[in-house]
Amino acid sequence: VIGADNKYNTHKFISGQPKGIVHRAFSVMLFDSQGQMLLQQRAASKVTFPRVWTNTCCSHPLHGQTPDEVDPPRDATNAEPSGIFHAARRKLRHELGIEPSQLVGATFKYMGRVHYWAADTRTHGPSAPWGEHEIDYLVLIRLAPGQFTFTANPDEVMDTAWVSSSELAEWMASPRDLWSPWFRVIARERLFGWWSDLDQALARPAEVPILRFDPPPEFRKGDGSHSERAATELGDLMQLEAGHRWDSAERRALTLACEREARRYDLTCRSRSKAAAAANKQGGYGKVATHKSSTLRQLVRVDEVFSAVWLKFGSGALASNLSLPAADAGAAPGSTADLLFCDRILGQVSRSFAAVIRQLPREMVLDILLFYLVLRALDTIEDDMEAFKADETRKCAHLKAFADDYLGNEAWSLDGVGEGAERELLQKFGAVSRLFNRLPAGSREVIRDVTRRMGAGMAEQVGVDLGQGTADMDTYNRYCHAVAGLVGEGLTRSFIARGFETDAIAGQGLCTWPFCAREEAVPRGSNYAIANSMGLFLQKTNILRDYLEDYVDGRAFWPQEVWARFARTSDLGEFARPTAHGGGLYAGAYDEARDPAGFSIIGKGARTSALACLNCLVADALELIPDCLTYLRLLKTKEIFRFSAIPQVMAIATLEACFDNPQVFTGVVKIRKGMAARLILACEDMASVEAWFHHFVVRIKLRCPPADPSRQKLVAACDEVLKLTAAGARQRRAESRRNMMLALLLALAVAALMKYALYLEAPFAIMRR
């Protein structure tokens, strides 16, 4: 048991959980002293499988009951499941009016478990939004001799019947009545065998392995979500489990891995949504949908369209300062080809960031270009979850050796790791090393040192189970430091070493980090704390945005210390279920047009706990912004300011787009391309950067739900940023008003000139007549 949820949510067969949520159940087969079994016909008012005939009683153990109905995990030495027996007594009384006193002296026997699922297509059609997905505890009860009476509850049961084994076999073979899918499985696989000798069945030990059965085609949805692998996953799993002793660690690991893969398939297979699959995130690693604005919604924003056109064709804002070495200028043989390769691959592995790198000062553009490609190659090794699946020690060795053994080794390359352009980068890494070896010694040392520390930090995480995120906030921060904070340090050291910036940008800010030395303990106070805050803000924004992709990859980073406060289960993937992220309660949380049947029921029992967790982590990221603004204010060089400011402004725009947004849990949220163009053009001075931070933080504050558990923290973080950016926002508003006034005056002047021209032309028109 990993948690509890309400009955509505566990039985919804909808996008995001096409087979519902697997949960515990029990099925009672009650026999009288003569060996006849009591059947019931489920009431017509039942949501799932109404009017079908089934075993005596079937229901669920409940969380929080007295006496306790939740049993511990079962193994070969477990006693009878007392919690299931408590639940069975409760439901026998509720459904059939069987008082506990009538069960005194009866024999209760737990027989084993059946795992099955079935969509209720008989009641709700091929788009059925309801179904059952249960691990069903099978219980035989034989009554003691004597008088036995019961009165069925009409809200639960519409008919009952006592039958013998032969009568039931004949009845179930007849097409005149419907039977529950779970009872068909129980009867076919075990019941008739037990019934042939009840005395022996009641004396035998319970089966320990779980029997698993996939549904026949008539109990699968018709939208494709129950086809292909999904149609056979339980049978396939049972075959694999048969090769291991049930109580072995290997069998348990196998089962958990298969269940996780089934969940990943539910979230990423084409059948979950053909429209979403067509929009899958671009790139070698894209496995989930991308949520971006439609072309129409982009085109109606004329200012953004103009910005995009102007950025591409007219502004010169990101003009490249990267020049190829001329052959007659002493270029080393092959260096031109190497530089062409590095420039091309940069554009392929980072289309958005490539132009920002190329516009850096001519003296250091190659330093940063190579720095980026080195770290991208290292990150590709860390990110690949397939190449090193069989031997993660190889990945660890590569990460640790990269800085000192691979970087600068012009003969080294790596094949079979990464996808697309990232794979090519590793295959032809010699080009990077050859250019790296020609950099000044100071530049090489900065790049090698940061690569070494980053590789070591990444290696620490290899083998760590990140399927459920990082352990706590400290681990979360340290991971962000290892993959992004160190980048901020390295860039800052490069800017200073090349003489473009001063030591001021290497100092302490408001945030105190355990991985940064105390300010007074290092020369000139250069502990790189604000540089780390810059990197952590970018990385935390990416981690929030990439929740779903990271989860399905098995390497999530949301800290358990935080998300466990909001989840009902011990699985971070709970938030990907529409029942946890406001399905039916929030616009955009569920696609009504694609699944109207699911949309009609999604709001029943739905929660917003996923959004509350998201907003809590947004508040944590917002607290880094004061340090980021301090760093940007201290920069002296325009190109470096632009290089540093553009990712930060993009990050706050992305953070605002993700805030309180259920689409974070169904794909990757992207800002509009036109908006990105406006932001790039705006990053020319600090006032404009402040104005945009102010704009997005105002939007976050206004959208903060009144009942959000983190509202106080969110509002405090927003207010601090708004105070720091108020001057820039006022300046830009004043400039905007002046520009509007000038535009209005210009329009009036043009209109007056046109009117005057028409006035002068009128006499000549009369004369011509």
Side-chain angles (χ1 to χ4, degrees):
V1 174
I2 63 170
D5 208 336
N6 63 58
K7 190 173 180 178
Y8 280 122
N9 288 343
T10 54
H11 290 83
K12 292 171 182 172
F13 274 43
I14 53 179
S15 180
Q17 52 178 69
K19 296 187 292 295
I21 302 175
V22 61
H23 53 275
R24 277 188 183 174
F26 63 85
S27 286
V28 170
M29 278 69 68
L30 184 145
F31 298 86
D32 63 16
S33 58
Q34 303 303 309
Q36 287 197 312
M37 190 176 85
L38 180 62
L39 303 178
Q40 67 156 278
Q41 186 179 22
R42 290 164 62 85
S45 58
K46 289 280 192 179
V47 173
T48 56
F49 300 101
R51 302 184 181 88
V52 301
W53 282 91
T54 191
N55 49 288
T56 311
C57 175
C58 37
S59 189
H60 312 95
L62 299 182
H63 175 72
Q65 292 289 301
T66 302
D68 190 7
E69 296 183 0
V70 181
D71 292 297
R74 298 201 62 75
D75 58 38
T77 62
N78 277 152
E80 296 287 82
S82 59
I84 291 292
F85 291 170
H86 292 319
R89 290 186 179 93
R90 173 177 54 80
K91 285 304 291 183
L92 285 168
R93 183 178 189 179
H94 176 230
E95 292 188 0
L96 295 163
I98 300 174
E99 295 294 334
S101 59
Q102 291 190 277
L103 299 174
V104 174
T107 301
F108 278 68
K109 184 67 178 70
Y110 163 70
M111 303 300 293
R113 293 165 291 177
V114 168
H115 182 186
Y116 78 95
W117 61 271
D120 189 6
T121 52
R122 293 276 176 82
T123 305
H124 303 284
S127 299
W130 299 106
E132 291 284 3
H133 189 175
E134 300 178 328
I135 295 181
D136 195 4
Y137 283 59
L138 309 182
V139 177
L140 302 185
I141 301 178
R142 183 164 65 179
L143 298 171
Q147 186 176 7
F148 177 79
T149 60
F150 65 90
T151 303
N153 180 351
D155 292 332
E156 297 288 330
V157 178
M158 62 188 300
D159 200 358
T160 59
W162 288 98
V163 294
S164 65
S165 174
S166 59
E167 289 170 339
L168 179 61
E170 182 180 351
W171 190 0
M172 294 187 77
S174 168
R176 74 176 187 270
D177 287 307
L178 299 177
W179 296 87
S180 71
W182 62 91
F183 187 56
R184 280 200 174 276
V185 168
I186 295 168
R188 181 185 72 234
E189 300 295 332
R190 290 294 184 270
L191 176 61
F192 288 114
W194 297 332
W195 209 342
S196 65
D197 190 339
L198 271 180
D199 289 331
Q200 184 185 49
L202 293 170
R204 67 189 295 178
E207 290 184 79
V208 176
I210 298 174
L211 306 177
R212 306 185 196 271
F213 301 98
D214 298 292
E218 61 265 28
F219 290 120
R220 301 178 201 156
K221 295 183 68 169
D223 61 359
S225 61
H226 292 167
S227 60
E228 300 176 2
R229 289 162 50 188
T232 62
E233 65 185 27
L234 293 186
D236 295 342
L237 172 57
M238 192 163 74
Q239 276 192 320
L240 292 172
E241 288 175 328
H244 301 271
R245 200 176 74 251
W246 183 262
D247 60 354
S248 68
E250 294 78 10
R251 196 281 312 165
R252 177 175 171 77
L254 168 71
T255 302
L256 291 175
C258 289
E259 289 178 351
R260 176 174 177 77
E261 180 63 18
R263 177 77 180 121
R264 188 204 67 81
Y265 184 76
D266 286 345
L267 292 170
T268 61
C269 70
R270 284 196 60 85
S271 57
R272 69 181 163 82
S273 163
K274 288 187 171 65
N280 265 5
K281 184 178 173 185
Q282 293 182 355
Y285 296 103
K287 298 180 180 70
V288 301
T290 297
H291 296 305
K292 54 187 178 181
S293 295
S294 66
T295 302
L296 178 61
R297 291 187 66 184
Q298 177 64 86
L299 290 176
V300 298
R301 291 170 169 82
V302 179
D303 54 347
E304 294 182 6
V305 174
F306 175 80
S307 295
V309 174
W310 181 247
L311 177 64
K312 186 172 181 66
F313 298 108
S315 71
L318 296 180
S320 176
N321 286 321
L322 180 67
S323 57
L324 297 176
D328 58 1
S335 61
T336 298
D338 290 341
L339 188 53
L340 284 170
F341 167 77
C342 290
D343 184 50
R344 173 180 65 81
I345 211 74
L346 173 69
Q348 291 177 329
V349 299
S350 179
R351 286 170 292 180
S352 58
F353 207 47
V356 183
I357 292 175
R358 294 184 185 116
Q359 62 84 48
L360 281 166
R362 190 177 304 274
E363 297 86 346
M364 70 177 311
V365 61
L366 185 59
D367 297 36
I368 306 305
L369 184 154
L370 294 176
F371 191 12
Y372 180 86
L373 290 181
V374 168
L375 297 185
R376 191 59 181 256
L378 186 70
D379 189 59
T380 299
I381 294 173
E382 187 217 13
D383 276 347
D384 196 314
M385 301 302 292
E386 297 297 325
F388 306 102
K389 183 181 289 187
D391 185 6
E392 289 189 328
T393 59
R394 285 180 52 239
K395 176 188 282 192
C396 203
H398 281 309
L399 293 172
K400 290 179 177 178
F402 199 93
D404 295 306
D405 296 343
Y406 304 161
L407 180 57
N409 181 349
E410 299 178 8
W412 181 83
S413 63
L414 184 63
D415 196 14
V417 176
E419 300 288 343
E422 284 90 351
R423 178 181 290 241
E424 185 182 2
L425 171 61
L426 286 168
Q427 289 170 333
K428 300 177 181 178
F429 195 76
V432 178
S433 286
R434 284 188 289 273
L435 292 176
F436 171 82
N437 289 336
R438 295 175 176 84
L439 292 179
S443 298
R444 293 200 306 272
E445 177 52 34
V446 169
I447 296 173
R448 195 184 300 277
D449 178 57
V450 170
T451 305
R452 182 185 300 117
R453 293 162 64 192
M454 186 178 292
M458 290 175 171
E460 288 180 5
Q461 299 298 323
V462 174
V464 175
D465 184 2
L466 291 172
Q468 301 301 335
T470 54
D472 49 36
M473 285 298 295
D474 182 61
T475 309
Y476 177 52
N477 287 330
R478 287 185 178 279
Y479 173 78
C480 292
H481 162 71
V483 300
L486 285 173
V487 179
E489 284 190 33
L491 291 171
T492 300
R493 289 167 61 186
S494 296
F495 300 155
I496 296 171
R498 283 287 195 169
F500 286 99
E501 300 297 338
T502 69
D503 288 332
I505 63 172
Q508 176 69 49
L510 293 177
C511 297
T512 302
W513 301 114
F515 34 79
C516 294
R518 297 194 319 275
E519 188 176 14
E520 63 274 13
V522 291
R524 301 179 301 281
S526 298
N527 66 350
Y528 299 98
I530 57 173
N532 267 275
S533 294
M534 289 276 285
L536 265 69
F537 179 61
L538 301 181
Q539 186 64 24
K540 288 186 175 186
T541 298
N542 289 340
I543 285 173
L544 297 185
R545 180 198 63 192
D546 294 341
Y547 158 83
L548 186 61
E549 188 173 40
D550 288 341
Y551 175 75
V552 300
D553 261 344
R555 295 179 67 254
F557 304 100
W558 285 31
Q560 295 180 43
E561 177 186 346
V562 174
W563 67 255
R565 302 203 314 260
F566 300 93
R568 288 195 175 182
T569 71
S570 57
D571 180 21
L572 177 58
E574 171 191 328
F575 293 156
R577 302 185 188 279
T579 51
H581 61 248
L585 307 177
Y586 269 63
Y590 202 80
D591 190 344
E592 179 181 6
R594 185 170 58 83
D595 185 12
F599 185 81
S600 68
I601 59 97
I602 181 61
K604 297 179 180 179
R607 307 186 307 277
T608 57
S609 50
L611 295 164
C613 182
L614 169 64
N615 295 348
C616 179
L617 292 172
V618 168
D620 170 69
L622 287 171
E623 292 177 339
L624 304 179
I625 293 177
D627 276 6
C628 300
L629 295 172
T630 297
Y631 187 97
L632 295 175
R633 289 191 184 103
L634 293 170
L635 294 173
K636 309 296 183 184
T637 306
K638 184 174 183 179
E639 294 89 345
I640 291 176
F641 174 84
R642 192 186 293 128
F643 170 86
S644 304
I646 288 173
Q648 296 291 317
V649 175
M650 294 287 195
I652 187 58
T654 300
L655 199 66
E656 185 274 329
C658 292
F659 177 71
D660 205 42
N661 186 350
Q663 291 188 328
V664 167
F665 303 99
T666 60
V668 178
V669 174
K670 306 282 278 188
I671 63 173
R672 295 185 302 275
K673 291 183 178 179
M675 171 60 77
R678 283 192 71 189
L679 298 177
I680 291 171
L681 291 172
C683 289
E684 295 294 317
D685 55 72
M686 194 64 207
S688 297
V689 169
E690 287 180 357
W692 278 111
F693 267 94
H694 195 277
H695 168 79
F696 290 118
V697 171
V698 164
R699 288 174 59 88
I700 290 174
K701 184 177 178 181
L702 290 175
R703 286 167 45 212
C704 184
D708 192 288
S710 304
R711 179 176 172 82
Q712 184 176 358
K713 184 176 182 179
L714 278 160
V715 170
C718 287
D719 285 344
E720 180 64 20
V721 176
L722 295 178
K723 180 176 68 176
L724 294 171
T725 58
R730 283 195 301 270
Q731 181 178 332
R732 283 296 166 259
R733 283 197 298 269
E735 290 178 2
S736 179
R737 285 193 294 269
R738 285 197 300 272
N739 292 338
M740 289 179 63
M741 185 61 69
L742 288 173
L744 179 60
L745 291 174
L746 180 61
L748 291 173
V750 170
L753 286 172
M754 292 178 64
K755 184 175 182 181
Y756 182 66
L758 290 172
Y759 174 76
L760 290 178
E761 186 181 354
F764 295 100
I766 294 171
M767 291 173 62
R768 283 197 296 271
R769 286 183 193 150

